[in-house]
Amino acid sequence: MNRLFKMAVSIILILLGIAALYVGGNMLYGTLTDYKPAPSEQVEIKNPVSRQPSGSVFTFLIWNIGYSALGDKEDFFFDGGKMVRPSKQRVEENLRGITGTIAAHADADFILLQEVDVSSKRSHCINELEAIAKALPHHAYSYARNYLVDYIPSPLDKPWDAYGKVDAGLATYSRYQPVEAMRYSLPGEFGWPKKVFWLDRCLLVFRCHVSNGKQLVVVNQHLEAYDEGGIKKQQMDFMKGLLLKEFEQGNYVIAGGDWNQCPPGFDYQHFGKDEDGSCKQLNVPADYIPGWRWAFDSNTPSNRKLAAPYEKGKTFVTLIDFYLVSPNVTLLEVKGVNLDFRNSDHQPVWMKVKLE
């Protein structure tokens, strides 16, 4: 009996040692290979086009595509669900739906996408950036990486099913040739070791000359989701400085994307009750940039929660994807594109504006 006990203890100690080595080794490797982007850098403009802005009316589409792996049949382990990644067939099915929707809106002058994977295990290493580019052959485009980790060991209790490599970011597609595309790193980060395996949030800024000699500045952004507001505030303050500087220089400024918070004064339970209080969203402060216009469709939810697959009328939905436009831009129309979250946990939002 004593011998069996010693053997059991030895086996347990060996298993604990292997677990500690796995976790510790990943922490060390992640720290040594941590992605550290520059504060600002030019990014490549692919598929250059000859078209230049000529009028004053422009259309936009924003969409967090959920890396083609968070459609209506999926949940997500990090948000209370169980799934780490769907099958490759399901990712391909979601991507076909996403590219089809984007192709149907190919007349949009600017298409701003978030959570676009280039080479990630969670989406079976499918290059979504290029797949979408094929659906938009007449658009120039750029990519700003905001998530690059060689290996994410989560969930730790399932090392055989770990999240793995992630290479993802923001993508902006434009019918007009931009004079510049820039990536700006956003401030704020979690403590070690979480920051090693987390996103490096950024802005992707397109700059186009318009016919009156000014510039149209288009800002694609995806702000922090999993904080109590402190990191998000740092990112919002940084973006505010950039937006105001551009406007003060006489430019037209439009920012759009996934804010991971509701517009000022918008009730996050507008579309239905948050029964257990687990889905509460912050609001953008009402005095964020006085005189600027928030553009959103209060009739169409833009985000659903991922604790379980989507069930219409049951799954909690809210609105966190929208635009902010400078005072010299007139909002003509904004509408959400209701897809019942078929291929992403977010829905597109279309907008038409006029430059004054």
Side-chain angles (χ1 to χ4, degrees):
M1 188 71 177
N2 189 42
R3 193 162 130 200
L4 288 174
F5 176 76
K6 287 182 178 180
M7 185 180 297
V9 169
S10 298
I11 292 171
I12 290 171
L13 290 175
I14 290 170
L15 292 175
L16 289 174
I18 292 172
L21 185 62
Y22 174 73
V23 174
N26 275 294
M27 298 299 180
L28 178 61
Y29 179 74
T31 301
L32 294 174
T33 59
D34 188 24
Y35 172 52
K36 297 184 184 301
S40 63
E41 57 184 329
Q42 280 194 331
V43 292
E44 181 185 3
I45 300 171
K46 298 184 177 183
N47 192 41
V49 295
S50 59
R51 186 184 177 97
Q52 297 295 324
S54 57
S56 59
V57 176
F58 295 88
T59 53
F60 295 77
L61 187 79
I62 55 173
W63 195 6
N64 180 332
I65 67 168
Y67 52 94
S68 302
L70 298 175
D72 57 357
K73 298 176 183 177
E74 284 76 53
D75 58 23
F76 185 47
F77 78 99
F78 202 78
D79 290 322
K82 298 178 180 179
M83 187 176 292
V84 176
R85 72 187 61 78
S87 67
K88 184 176 182 181
Q89 180 181 1
R90 177 59 179 161
V91 171
E92 291 171 338
E93 178 185 337
N94 283 331
L95 184 57
R96 283 194 298 272
I98 289 165
T99 55
T101 299
I102 290 172
H105 291 84
D107 57 347
D109 296 308
F110 297 93
I111 297 175
L112 284 58
L113 306 179
Q114 301 85 47
E115 292 195 12
V116 180
D117 275 6
V118 170
S119 179
S120 303
K121 184 178 178 181
R122 63 186 185 177
S123 54
H124 300 274
C125 295
I126 297 170
N127 191 327
E128 298 169 355
L129 178 73
E130 299 303 330
I132 294 166
K134 289 179 181 178
L136 297 169
H138 304 298
H139 285 64
Y141 64 100
S142 290
Y143 171 75
R145 182 176 283 114
N146 70 357
Y147 204 1
L148 182 63
V149 182
D150 278 353
Y151 185 80
I152 298 174
S154 300
L156 291 174
D157 60 340
K158 296 180 180 179
W160 58 88
D161 193 30
Y163 208 55
K165 177 187 176 183
V166 178
D167 186 346
L170 312 177
T172 296
Y173 298 81
S174 170
R175 292 177 65 220
Y176 306 107
Q177 181 65 22
V179 295
E180 182 181 71
M182 291 288 296
R183 181 198 186 279
Y184 293 95
S185 293
L186 287 170
E189 62 181 15
F190 293 98
W192 186 91
K194 183 174 181 177
K195 68 178 183 179
V196 171
F197 303 103
W198 204 245
L199 291 85
D200 294 275
R201 306 275 183 178
C202 69
L203 306 177
L204 175 54
V205 180
F206 262 37
R207 188 182 299 275
C208 295
H209 290 307
V210 292
S211 56
N212 63 5
K214 297 182 180 182
Q215 291 185 336
L216 172 57
V217 179
V218 179
V219 181
N220 184 351
Q221 51 83 10
H222 184 191
L223 301 183
E224 185 52 60
Y226 298 98
D227 75 318
E228 297 297 324
I231 293 175
K232 196 180 279 98
K233 184 180 185 305
Q234 293 181 58
Q235 296 172 352
M236 291 283 286
D237 288 346
F238 177 91
M239 186 164 63
K240 178 179 179 178
L242 184 147
L243 300 180
L244 286 174
K245 180 180 178 181
E246 292 295 343
F247 176 62
E248 289 163 2
Q249 292 175 351
N251 296 326
Y252 305 99
V253 187
I254 294 171
D258 178 357
W259 298 73
N260 270 311
Q261 56 196 315
C262 296
F266 185 87
D267 181 3
Y268 82 105
Q269 300 182 101
H270 177 78
F271 301 103
K273 280 289 186 183
D274 174 18
E275 298 294 349
D276 60 5
S278 64
C279 301
K280 185 173 177 59
Q281 297 280 171
L282 299 172
N283 286 84
V284 175
D287 61 350
Y288 179 59
I289 307 187
W292 289 50
R293 177 73 180 269
W294 298 97
F296 56 92
D297 179 1
S298 60
N299 295 315
T300 308
S302 74
N303 174 245
R304 65 100 168 176
K305 299 312 171 186
L306 288 163
Y310 178 68
E311 291 185 57
K312 190 171 184 177
K314 182 178 179 181
T315 301
F316 183 79
V317 298
T318 190
L319 193 156
I320 60 175
D321 304 87
F322 46 92
Y323 301 89
L324 175 63
V325 303
S326 55
N328 53 357
V329 176
T330 298
L331 174 63
L332 300 178
E333 187 179 359
V334 61
K335 60 183 180 182
V337 182
N338 192 354
L339 304 171
D340 284 330
F341 301 98
R342 188 165 54 250
N343 303 120
S344 174
D345 60 323
H346 291 252
Q347 304 207 98
V349 184
W350 178 91
M351 179 179 72
K352 179 190 285 189
V353 300
K354 182 178 181 181
L355 310 186
E356 299 300 337

